[in-house]
Amino acid sequence: MGRDGIREIGIGMLGYAFMGKAHANAFRKISYLTWPPPLEPRLVAIAGRDEEAVAEAADRYGFARWTTDWRELVRDPEIQLFDNLGPNALHAEPTIAAAEAGRHVVCEKPLGRDAAESHEIWSRVAATGVKHMCAFNYRFVPAVRLARELIEGGELGELRHFRGRYLQDWGDTDADLWRFDRAAAGSGALGDLAAHVVDLARYLVGEIAAVSGFLRTFVPGREVDDAVEATAEFESGAVGTLEATRLALGRRNAFQWEINGTKGSLYFDMERLNELQVFRADGDRARGFKTVLVSEADHPFWEHWWPPGHIVGWGDTFVHELHHFLAAIAADADVGPHGATFEDGYRAAEVCDAIMRSGAEGRREVIEYRTLSEAVAAN
Amino acid sequence: MGRDGIREIGIGMLGYAFMGKAHANAFRKISYLTWPPPLEPRLVAIAGRDEEAVAEAADRYGFARWTTDWRELVRDPEIQLFDNLGPNALHAEPTIAAAEAGRHVVCEKPLGRDAAESHEIWSRVAATGVKHMCAFNYRFVPAVRLARELIEGGELGELRHFRGRYLQDWGDTDADLWRFDRAAAGSGALGDLAAHVVDLARYLVGEIAAVSGFLRTFVPGREVDDAVEATAEFESGAVGTLEATRLALGRRNAFQWEINGTKGSLYFDMERLNELQVFRADGDRARGFKTVLVSEADHPFWEHWWPPGHIVGWGDTFVHELHHFLAAIAADADVGPHGATFEDGYRAAEVCDAIMRSGAEGRREVIEYRTLSEAVAAN
Amino acid sequence: MGRDGIREIGIGMLGYAFMGKAHANAFRKISYLTWPPPLEPRLVAIAGRDEEAVAEAADRYGFARWTTDWRELVRDPEIQLFDNLGPNALHAEPTIAAAEAGRHVVCEKPLGRDAAESHEIWSRVAATGVKHMCAFNYRFVPAVRLARELIEGGELGELRHFRGRYLQDWGDTDADLWRFDRAAAGSGALGDLAAHVVDLARYLVGEIAAVSGFLRTFVPGREVDDAVEATAEFESGAVGTLEATRLALGRRNAFQWEINGTKGSLYFDMERLNELQVFRADGDRARGFKTVLVSEADHPFWEHWWPPGHIVGWGDTFVHELHHFLAAIAADADVGPHGATFEDGYRAAEVCDAIMRSGAEGRREVIEYRTLSEAVAAN
Amino acid sequence: MGRDGIREIGIGMLGYAFMGKAHANAFRKISYLTWPPPLEPRLVAIAGRDEEAVAEAADRYGFARWTTDWRELVRDPEIQLFDNLGPNALHAEPTIAAAEAGRHVVCEKPLGRDAAESHEIWSRVAATGVKHMCAFNYRFVPAVRLARELIEGGELGELRHFRGRYLQDWGDTDADLWRFDRAAAGSGALGDLAAHVVDLARYLVGEIAAVSGFLRTFVPGREVDDAVEATAEFESGAVGTLEATRLALGRRNAFQWEINGTKGSLYFDMERLNELQVFRADGDRARGFKTVLVSEADHPFWEHWWPPGHIVGWGDTFVHELHHFLAAIAADADVGPHGATFEDGYRAAEVCDAIMRSGAEGRREVIEYRTLSEAVAAN
């Protein structure tokens, strides 16, 4: 076996900051940590607004060229995969353009700034037939995938409760971030953090039928929400809460969730992302939650890594995620159900919009999900 | 100093089961663990429906006499304190009767089966001038009191979030419990567990202005709710969630709450009731939540106990609570703000009722609290 | 059933401070928390050096009389159980005198100030035929008993490792305590803390064959050791470490131990005394330590307490311990293997002495345990 | 700034398995995660015994060529850094040969199979003047470096206790590993795990003056030790324990240590390598261990990574370690004190040997460290 035998795929990336670093790192690691890689990522070009910064990023991460005009990426014949890591306002147009130019597309979450824009992206891209993935990377945490497998295996029985909250604490900063700009971001904690909660709720428990809740802005002068509070009802009958805030001092990246079923329970905290707490009502006299260090040979994604107990980091989830997308491209296979498609991105946005409307109108919102056919028909 | 110098108070107790054991134990321990006791509790009489059981309870806990008719307690001239531990349906009449007969009254939570009944109890009892306490014993957990002191001392700054959930897991039992009977209990997890969440939310964060949420019954044939999910808005502007369930497998008595303020955060779990997690944004490079083992000489209630690190149990919270009530009687002092008065019992019931209405009507409920004057005027 | 049907036992207690409070509390609670109690403890008399303090203690805890001369207790015909809680130097003479006067005896740990004194106490008391118990109360923590049951049930397989350390942090105090006085205490952390480690090592893993280690005094002017470090070899072949210190800042009462066997492992920390960590190599894909909240209906001692999850405190271990001793007296049953007899007290002292000798001589000490027959023969 | 401006360094690697993957990954990541890299690692050649495997490794990790004869690496003019990841028996000869050929050398721990061999490697290599590092990668865990900085900053005061144990649980496997072969490995848990404990003890607390303890082999037919138990005395006066085992079921990679000083304490567990527990005796009423998530902008190594709370993995420690070594080469700076030099590798081996002798002879071993001058003189 040799490098020669591995097909290449040209990558074009829009964005070079936090997420740019995370994705570039992942594409580079896929080449040797996952072996053999489904496709060999070739870093063709990177685009960004600041000329000096994007040039340095290209040099640093090993892109062959750079540009300040993302349209060049869309036109570049060496690029087969367009990875959109730009601010939310820059998700729709480049993503759609890339797909319509025949590129497979990855787009950071939230897909659009609201459900309408998200649906537009999904429907336009779906119509092209390319592969698409909305980068909800937390589906690719080994403990989250293990949770999904335990649930699918029936080990929790019927699910009754989901209790999800994404707590960070940097919201009091007065830095001038695009994430605080309504036009650029669409929303604050809602699209940034609550969207992750919604996505994992859907991935692990199922579709959300109704929500009730509200957004709250605490910081004076802030255009977007700092916090989101909601109750949720799932189609399956399960119920729970969805929360997100940038103002929970001491919680740096605490995406915590708990699921209770008729046979067992699970608990997870992203600050200890290698651990899954597992309870089973198996009649054992020594009953209690197990702290499972998700790092065994037969645990998800662990074929890429180290001996048991040698934990992975947050950045490694992108290796799993982008490997999954490359594998789907290589095999012409479905991105879902484990990868979040643009439909998943759209559906998360519908839930987020419903929470916002619920707060504005002071009432429970039953969610109506649009299908693709309307959209495609509408095109 | 001697026993002779300590005034006695005659105790009459209604109920002999779980709570009867907890309260009898506390009254007995107050005599020597708190020293000198504010009043020496004399166990005069105990009432209960089952003749054999109540007779054994009297024998076991050291009550001088027993009866199957609680009215005898109300008439008994040796009783100055009436402690009502009966099922919820038996809260109103005996408590009011005892107060109107001039007895100080303790009543288990929830005060009444709904806000109307709770208000009735409060207003009728308040009119008599006796001391009254609704037995929200978790205010008397050392870690909870320490939390209150830290908040009052300004160590958390302005509060932004309260995240409270009371999780138990015995709800699938098919035992024939009064707690599953709507007439006897009024509600399920709502009055049993969520009322505790509401009370501590009020005690630690302040008055609740509005709620949005619902009740859910999962177990077929169950008359009352198994679970409660709600979002809350506090008068101060803080926001959060209130949850309770009897169906969270693996959580035996997990009353967990978190508070985030502009200067710090607190976290607590009743299953580790001796610990308070404390975060302060103090600029320390080594930032993080402290696990405070609340057992120091200068910690709340610790003057009654052991050297540091020698933890107390759940049953000991009742020693603190009833000691507080006896001290209020002895000094003719206010039961509040640390003891929950019947007004607190009523206000918790208003919040619980509002959650129920919110679920039924699918909308946010702004809570209007009735004052005493209306009620007393209505009498 | 009635109080009348329960036999009484007269208690005489030497000591009224920390341990006096703990034991008096336990005797009082046994009367109603354990039901029916095996014997009804009657608090006859208490002895102590300080007249005012002992008088107050008698009044507080309900002893009928008090004295500053422990010999009065030995002579008192109403006393059938002599509970020696005095400083270590006062263990031998009163305990032996009480036993020789026909009283059942409880003696605080360490039994004597060294192995010779401990053997003397054991042999003299054993010769009288009374019941005797060395108050190693940590055997009566529910989680510790559950650990023993799991081990006896074979759930850990053959034991390989014991890792025990008792960490406290008050050793820098300059208070004038008898525990710092060599004549009164015999040793420092060794007899106070390491003795507990040795006792649980023996109770859970088995007899210790050899040790290697040393004592260390850090605090200038301190007569006794602040810390003990040792390795241990068990007769079974298991190996491990035994540690104790009064100088581990932040550890208030952290008696932590871990046991590893061929089938599983256990971990415990006294600061979370209601929890036992249990690992079993059962092939489960979700492998990990379970956090068992030891509070289930079928857990040790739990018949005396509350519903699951409503935890007990440190003081409650004495209820279990003294209940056990009263039951042994009532039934004329063995105090061992769950209660520590004076033989256990002696054997712990042999191990402690061996660690001291090992440190002094810089070599591994094989422990030779003396039997009773030599001793009794020597009498 | 550009790639062109960054000097390259040619890497030759011996070994392609577990450690080969870890080091190759690190060298590749240094190029862009640390920015600008001190030197750009160029993967020149890799050597290994199995032709097919080493060829695949070269292909996978991107080495320009491969060989089954490590001597080719030593001769290769394009290689400036020789990274020896072979089994212990293959540490001495290739490492010395590479250094004597003028290559900077990294060698996996333990440096040699015993102190004599380690001293030989150290002295021969030191005589050449090249940079050398013994790959004790755990010095490069952010939490470990933070611990060192806190200690150096005086935040713990004078150190009194070190309690270190490295617990794994794969020792019952019957796989035919070189680690079980005495000739190849030298020792078992001693050199594999206890050496790490010794190194961090030295790095954090200081030089070890004496040890007492033993090795133990539990598994029938096993040539090397499964477990090590020892007490330790440090030159500073601190005392503690050193333990290692491959037979602690449920502990996958639990390198746990605690340090107690006169002002504070630290606790760490490699299974939660992003967390450091910090206690300070600062008079705060809310006293307790802080759980510090070591991921802040001002925390060690964090300039290479993500926003706070986005944790790193075990594999990332090698990025820090090899970056440190490249920086030392680039700046002609000392590898120590943060990097472990071959002197550190030798000194750890002296401690390990002393534990072995202590067990064999049943006595405390005072450690005499040889200096370089004797050795170089001896050459």
Side-chain angles (χ1 to χ4, degrees), chain B residues 111-339:
Chain B
L111 184 56
R113 281 165 295 180
D114 57 21
E117 189 175 65
S118 300
H119 193 272
E120 170 81 3
I121 299 173
W122 171 37
S123 59
R124 295 278 294 274
V125 169
T128 68
V130 303
K131 304 284 179 201
H132 46 87
M133 184 170 71
C134 185
F136 281 115
N137 63 304
Y138 291 143
R139 293 179 175 216
F140 294 90
V141 171
V144 171
R145 176 68 68 88
L146 179 58
R148 164 99 181 196
E149 291 177 8
L150 293 172
I151 291 168
E152 282 189 332
E155 300 211 32
L156 264 66
E158 289 172 43
L159 305 187
R160 283 159 163 177
H161 287 295
F162 176 81
R163 221 165 279 117
R165 50 193 173 270
Y166 200 148
L167 312 178
Q168 294 187 341
D169 70 352
W170 53 274
D172 280 307
T173 179
D174 54 7
D176 181 24
L177 304 173
W178 68 264
R179 291 178 186 278
F180 293 153
D181 181 306
R182 175 172 296 281
S187 67
L190 183 70
D192 186 19
L193 303 179
H196 274 301
V197 181
V198 168
D199 183 64
L200 281 199
R202 294 184 61 250
Y203 182 59
L204 296 172
V205 179
E207 210 59 82
I208 295 171
V211 292
S212 189
F214 56 88
L215 279 54
R216 184 63 43 109
T217 301
F218 287 96
V219 180
R222 179 70 35 88
E223 291 182 2
V224 295
D225 54 288
D226 297 311
V228 184
E229 310 286 338
T231 58
E233 297 165 78
F234 291 80
E235 289 185 356
S236 67
V239 299
T241 47
L242 310 171
E243 301 178 75
T245 181
R246 291 164 168 170
L247 295 173
L249 282 177
R251 305 298 182 191
R252 296 305 254 164
N253 196 34
F255 182 2
Q256 308 170 335
W257 51 258
E258 175 162 333
I259 296 173
N260 309 120
T262 53
K263 292 185 180 173
S265 293
L266 301 175
Y267 177 76
F268 174 83
D269 182 344
M270 194 65 70
E271 290 186 353
R272 288 180 173 167
L273 67 84
N274 293 274
E275 298 179 14
L276 184 68
Q277 304 272 341
V278 178
F279 178 84
R280 291 198 196 88
D282 55 7
D284 187 1
R285 188 181 180 213
R287 79 200 297 283
F289 277 83
K290 260 186 196 176
T291 300
V292 180
L293 197 56
V294 187
S295 62
E296 300 296 317
D298 64 345
H299 282 171
F301 309 113
W302 215 257
E303 70 272 18
H304 306 312
W305 299 102
W306 320 108
H310 295 68
I311 65 175
V312 295
W314 173 86
D316 298 322
T317 62
F318 296 94
V319 174
H320 309 156
E321 179 182 51
L322 293 171
H323 175 270
H324 175 82
F325 193 60
L326 295 187
I329 294 170
D332 193 13
D334 286 344
V335 169
H338 295 304

Side-chain angles (χ1 to χ4, degrees), chain B residues 1-4 6 18 21-22 24-26 28-29 31-35 56 59-62 138 166 168 252-253 270-275 277 291 293 295-296 303-316, chain C residues 1-4 6 18 21-22 24-26 28-29 31-35 56 59-62 138 166 168 252-253 270-275 277 291 293 295-296 303-316:
Chain B
M1 171 175 302
R3 273 294 160 195
D4 300 354
I6 302 172
F18 175 26
K21 184 179 181 180
N25 175 50
R28 292 185 64 136
K29 291 176 75 165
S31 299
Y32 59 89
L33 271 178
T34 76
W35 189 252
E56 181 180 288
D59 192 35
R60 178 172 184 175
Y61 300 118
Y138 291 143
Y166 200 148
Q168 294 187 341
R252 296 305 254 164
N253 196 34
M270 194 65 70
E271 290 186 353
R272 288 180 173 167
L273 67 84
N274 293 274
E275 298 179 14
Q277 304 272 341
T291 300
L293 197 56
S295 62
E296 300 296 317
E303 70 272 18
H304 306 312
W305 299 102
W306 320 108
H310 295 68
I311 65 175
V312 295
W314 173 86
D316 298 322
Chain C
M1 170 175 304
R3 274 292 161 196
D4 300 354
I6 302 171
F18 174 28
K21 184 178 180 180
N25 175 51
R28 292 185 65 135
K29 290 176 76 165
S31 299
Y32 58 90
L33 271 178
T34 76
W35 189 253
E56 182 181 288
D59 192 35
R60 178 171 182 175
Y61 299 118
Y138 291 143
Y166 200 148
Q168 294 187 343
R252 299 304 256 164
N253 196 34
M270 193 65 69
E271 290 186 352
R272 288 179 172 167
L273 68 84
N274 292 274
E275 298 179 15
Q277 303 272 341
T291 300
L293 196 57
S295 61
E296 300 296 317
E303 70 272 19
H304 306 312
W305 299 103
W306 320 108
H310 295 67
I311 66 175
V312 295
W314 173 86
D316 298 322

Side-chain angles (χ1 to χ4, degrees), chain A residues 18-180:
Chain A
F18 175 28
M19 278 299 140
K21 184 178 181 182
H23 280 232
N25 176 49
F27 279 124
R28 293 184 64 135
K29 291 176 75 165
I30 283 168
S31 298
Y32 59 90
L33 272 177
T34 76
W35 191 251
L39 293 171
E40 173 82 29
R42 195 155 51 85
L43 303 183
V44 175
I46 185 165
R49 243 172 296 201
D50 182 277
E51 188 165 327
E52 192 178 353
V54 73
E56 181 182 288
D59 192 35
R60 178 173 183 173
Y61 300 118
F63 285 87
R65 42 189 183 273
W66 57 266
T67 173
T68 55
D69 178 8
W70 58 262
R71 284 170 189 82
E72 289 189 24
L73 268 53
V74 171
R75 287 190 295 263
D76 193 325
E78 292 184 43
I79 291 173
Q80 289 89 43
L81 189 165
F82 180 75
D83 189 9
N84 189 342
L85 310 170
N88 303 350
L90 217 56
H91 285 185
E93 191 185 358
T95 301
I96 292 168
E100 294 185 341
R103 272 65 181 176
H104 302 296
V105 284
V106 172
C107 183
E108 257 307 312
K109 39 63 56 183
L111 185 56
R113 280 165 296 180
D114 57 21
E117 189 175 64
S118 301
H119 193 272
E120 170 81 5
I121 300 172
W122 171 38
S123 58
R124 296 278 293 276
V125 169
T128 68
V130 302
K131 302 285 179 201
H132 47 88
M133 182 171 70
C134 185
F136 282 114
N137 64 305
Y138 291 143
R139 293 179 175 216
F140 293 90
V141 171
V144 171
R145 176 68 68 87
L146 179 59
R148 164 99 180 196
E149 291 177 8
L150 293 172
I151 291 168
E152 283 189 331
E155 300 212 35
L156 264 66
E158 290 172 43
L159 305 188
R160 283 160 163 178
H161 288 294
F162 176 80
R163 222 165 277 117
R165 50 194 172 270
Y166 200 149
L167 311 178
Q168 294 187 342
D169 70 352
W170 52 274
D172 280 308
T173 180
D174 54 6
D176 182 23
L177 305 173
W178 69 262
R179 291 178 186 279
F180 293 154

Side-chain angles (χ1 to χ4, degrees), chain A residues 197-344:
Chain A
V197 181
V198 168
D199 183 63
L200 281 199
R202 294 183 61 249
Y203 182 58
L204 296 172
V205 180
E207 210 58 83
I208 296 171
V211 291
S212 190
F214 56 87
L215 278 56
R216 183 64 42 110
T217 301
F218 286 97
V219 180
R222 179 71 33 88
E223 290 182 4
V224 295
D225 55 288
D226 298 311
V228 184
E229 311 285 337
T231 58
E233 297 164 78
F234 291 80
E235 290 185 356
S236 66
V239 298
T241 48
L242 310 172
E243 301 178 76
T245 181
R246 292 166 169 170
L247 295 173
L249 283 177
R251 306 297 182 192
R252 298 304 256 165
N253 197 34
F255 182 2
Q256 308 168 335
W257 51 259
E258 176 162 333
I259 296 173
N260 310 119
T262 53
K263 293 185 182 174
S265 294
L266 301 175
Y267 177 76
F268 174 82
D269 183 344
M270 193 65 70
E271 290 186 352
R272 289 180 172 166
L273 67 84
N274 293 275
E275 299 179 15
L276 184 68
Q277 303 273 340
V278 179
F279 178 85
R280 292 199 196 86
D282 56 6
D284 187 1
R285 188 181 179 214
R287 77 200 298 281
F289 277 84
K290 260 185 198 177
T291 300
V292 180
L293 197 56
V294 187
S295 61
E296 300 296 318
D298 64 347
H299 282 171
F301 309 113
W302 215 256
E303 71 272 18
H304 306 313
W305 299 103
W306 321 108
H310 295 66
I311 65 175
V312 295
W314 172 86
D316 298 322
T317 61
F318 295 94
V319 174
H320 310 158
E321 180 184 49
L322 294 171
H323 175 270
H324 174 82
F325 192 60
L326 297 187
I329 293 169
D332 193 13
D334 286 343
V335 170
H338 295 304
T341 63
F342 282 5
E343 179 174 11
D344 292 306

Side-chain angles (χ1 to χ4, degrees), chain C residues 76-378:
Chain C
D76 192 326
E78 291 183 44
I79 291 173
Q80 288 91 42
L81 188 166
F82 179 76
D83 188 10
N84 189 343
L85 311 170
N88 303 350
L90 216 58
H91 285 184
E93 192 184 359
T95 301
I96 293 168
E100 294 185 341
R103 273 65 180 176
H104 302 297
V105 284
V106 173
C107 184
E108 256 307 311
K109 39 63 55 182
L111 185 56
R113 281 164 297 181
D114 57 22
E117 190 174 63
S118 300
H119 193 272
E120 170 81 3
I121 300 172
W122 171 38
S123 59
R124 295 279 293 276
V125 168
T128 68
V130 302
K131 303 285 179 202
H132 47 88
M133 182 171 71
C134 185
F136 281 114
N137 63 304
Y138 291 143
R139 293 179 175 217
F140 293 90
V141 171
V144 171
R145 176 68 69 86
L146 179 59
R148 164 101 180 194
E149 292 176 8
L150 293 172
I151 292 168
E152 283 189 333
E155 299 212 34
L156 264 66
E158 289 172 44
L159 305 188
R160 283 160 163 178
H161 288 294
F162 176 81
R163 222 165 279 118
R165 51 194 172 269
Y166 200 148
L167 312 178
Q168 294 187 343
D169 70 352
W170 52 273
D172 280 308
T173 179
D174 53 7
D176 182 24
L177 304 173
W178 70 261
R179 291 179 186 278
F180 292 154
D181 181 306
R182 175 171 295 282
S187 66
L190 183 69
D192 185 20
L193 304 179
H196 273 302
V197 181
V198 168
D199 184 63
L200 282 200
R202 295 183 59 250
Y203 182 58
L204 296 172
V205 180
E207 211 57 84
I208 295 170
V211 291
S212 190
F214 56 87
L215 279 53
R216 185 61 44 109
T217 301
F218 286 96
V219 180
R222 179 70 33 89
E223 291 182 2
V224 295
D225 55 288
D226 298 311
V228 185
E229 310 285 339
T231 59
E233 297 164 79
F234 291 80
E235 290 184 356
S236 65
V239 299
T241 48
L242 310 171
E243 301 178 74
T245 182
R246 292 166 169 169
L247 295 173
L249 283 177
R251 305 297 182 193
R252 299 304 256 164
N253 196 34
F255 182 2
Q256 307 170 335
W257 51 258
E258 176 161 333
I259 296 173
N260 309 119
T262 53
K263 293 186 182 174
S265 294
L266 301 175
Y267 177 75
F268 175 82
D269 183 343
M270 193 65 69
E271 290 186 352
R272 288 179 172 167
L273 68 84
N274 292 274
E275 298 179 15
L276 185 67
Q277 303 272 341
V278 179
F279 178 85
R280 292 198 195 87
D282 55 7
D284 186 2
R285 188 182 179 213
R287 78 200 297 281
F289 277 83
K290 260 185 197 178
T291 300
V292 180
L293 196 57
V294 187
S295 61
E296 300 296 317
D298 64 346
H299 283 171
F301 309 113
W302 215 258
E303 70 272 19
H304 306 312
W305 299 103
W306 320 108
H310 295 67
I311 66 175
V312 295
W314 173 86
D316 298 322
T317 63
F318 296 93
V319 174
H320 310 156
E321 179 183 49
L322 294 171
H323 175 270
H324 176 81
F325 193 59
L326 296 188
I329 293 170
D332 194 14
D334 287 343
V335 169
H338 295 304
T341 64
F342 282 4
E343 180 174 9
D344 293 305
Y346 155 69
R347 286 180 165 247
E350 276 291 10
V351 178
C352 288
D353 274 21
I355 294 171
M356 196 174 345
R357 283 197 310 274
S358 172
E361 298 171 22
R363 54 175 298 117
R364 172 175 177 265
E365 286 286 313
V366 175
I367 304 171
E368 293 184 34
Y369 297 97
R370 297 166 62 191
T371 60
L372 188 58
S373 49
E374 312 167 37
V376 170

